[in-house]
């Protein structure tokens, strides 16, 4: 099952679109991308999204910095967010629990995920082009699995190559267990 799931992801990688993995909790969506990144020599940055995620968490914001003297007013400086840091480094990014993210986060990622392949930060009037090594993966559980998940807009989903991740079979679980804990079998 893992080999079939990996083959689906590898086929998806042939396109320049981000990849959206969908499958039940615990089927190995995150582990599959982590193993693929490690095997291919890419650094993977995992970002766990939730209803409380904000686009500034991903792209950055102005934050206070220590003043250099006692009589100086508080200073603010731009601090890159984790997504923007990964983009600049050409890393792979896994956006976990994509269908829990608020609409503002999805809209903030649009230009990076479509044909423009750029991120524009209006606060600093700067655009960042996605390097060729930069890849975006996303993972989500199906809507019927509950947990506050919402259906994503079709216009947003069209930016992804969707890969369904099959659940592990009894034989798969037995193989994994015997490989990790040979004394139990």
């Amino acid at each position: 099952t893992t080999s079939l799931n990996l083959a689906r992801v590898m086929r998806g990688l042939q396109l320049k679109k981000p990849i959206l993995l969908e499958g039940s909790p615990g089927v190995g969506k995150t582990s599959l991308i982590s193993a693929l990144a490690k095997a291919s020599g890419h650094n993977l940055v995992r970002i766990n999204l939730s209803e409380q995620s904000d686009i500034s968490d991903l792209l950055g914001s102005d934050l206070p910095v220590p003043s250099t003297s006692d009589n100086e007013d508080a200073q603010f400086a731009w601090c890159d967010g984790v997504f923007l840091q990964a983009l600049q480094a050409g890393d792979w990014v896994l956006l976990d629990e994509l269908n829990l993210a608020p609409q503002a986060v999805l809209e903030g990622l649009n230009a990076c995920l479509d044909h423009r392949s750029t991120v524009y930060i209006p606060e600093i009037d700067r655009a960042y082009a996605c390097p060729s090594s930069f890849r975006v993966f996303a993972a989500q559980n199906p809507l019927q699995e509950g947990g506050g998940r919402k259906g994503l807009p079709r216009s947003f989903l069209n930016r992804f190559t969707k890969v369904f991740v099959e659940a592990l079979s009894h034989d798969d679980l037995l193989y994994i267990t015997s490989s990790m804990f040979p004394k139990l079998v």
Side-chain angles (χ1 to χ4, degrees):
T1 306
T2 302
S3 296
L4 293 173
N5 289 335
L6 180 60
R8 288 187 192 107
V9 172
M10 296 294 289
R11 277 195 306 257
L13 281 171
Q14 293 175 344
L15 301 173
K16 279 295 185 188
K17 292 170 69 173
I19 294 177
L20 174 62
L21 291 89
E22 182 171 285
S24 296
V27 298
K29 301 179 293 284
T30 301
S31 298
L32 184 64
I33 299 304
S34 295
L36 182 58
K38 185 176 181 181
S40 62
H42 291 91
N43 185 44
L44 179 68
V45 176
R46 181 175 174 246
I47 302 171
N48 201 36
L49 299 172
S50 72
E51 298 89 353
Q52 286 77 39
S53 297
D54 189 76
I55 194 64
S56 63
D57 299 331
L58 277 68
L59 300 181
S61 62
D62 281 320
L63 296 175
V65 294
S67 59
T68 55
S69 67
D70 291 336
N71 59 354
E72 192 174 53
D73 290 338
Q75 300 284 320
F76 286 83
W78 179 260
C79 183
D80 292 342
V82 65
F83 185 90
L84 186 58
Q85 290 172 7
L87 181 146
Q88 292 177 81
D91 293 335
W92 283 10
V93 172
L94 174 61
L95 300 170
D96 226 343
E97 304 290 354
L98 184 66
N99 54 351
L100 290 179
Q103 186 67 27
V105 170
L106 303 179
E107 290 171 7
L109 295 173
N110 265 335
C112 176
L113 302 176
D114 68 13
H115 67 280
R116 295 171 282 185
S117 295
T118 59
V119 171
Y120 176 70
I121 311 291
E123 292 87 349
I124 58 175
D125 191 27
R126 187 154 176 220
Y128 296 87
C130 298
S132 60
S133 62
F134 178 72
R135 290 302 299 249
V136 175
F137 298 86
Q140 68 179 16
N141 299 330
L143 289 177
Q144 59 271 24
E145 302 280 338
R149 287 165 180 79
K150 61 187 179 307
L152 297 173
R154 186 180 307 266
S155 60
F156 186 74
L157 288 174
N158 286 341
R159 289 164 169 50
F160 291 88
T161 298
K162 195 170 184 179
V163 174
F164 183 76
V165 179
E166 297 282 338
L168 299 174
S169 70
H170 174 74
D171 290 341
D172 294 329
L173 295 172
L174 188 59
Y175 176 79
I176 292 167
T177 303
S178 64
S179 296
M180 293 179 71
F181 309 102
K183 293 180 181 179
L184 290 178
V185 183

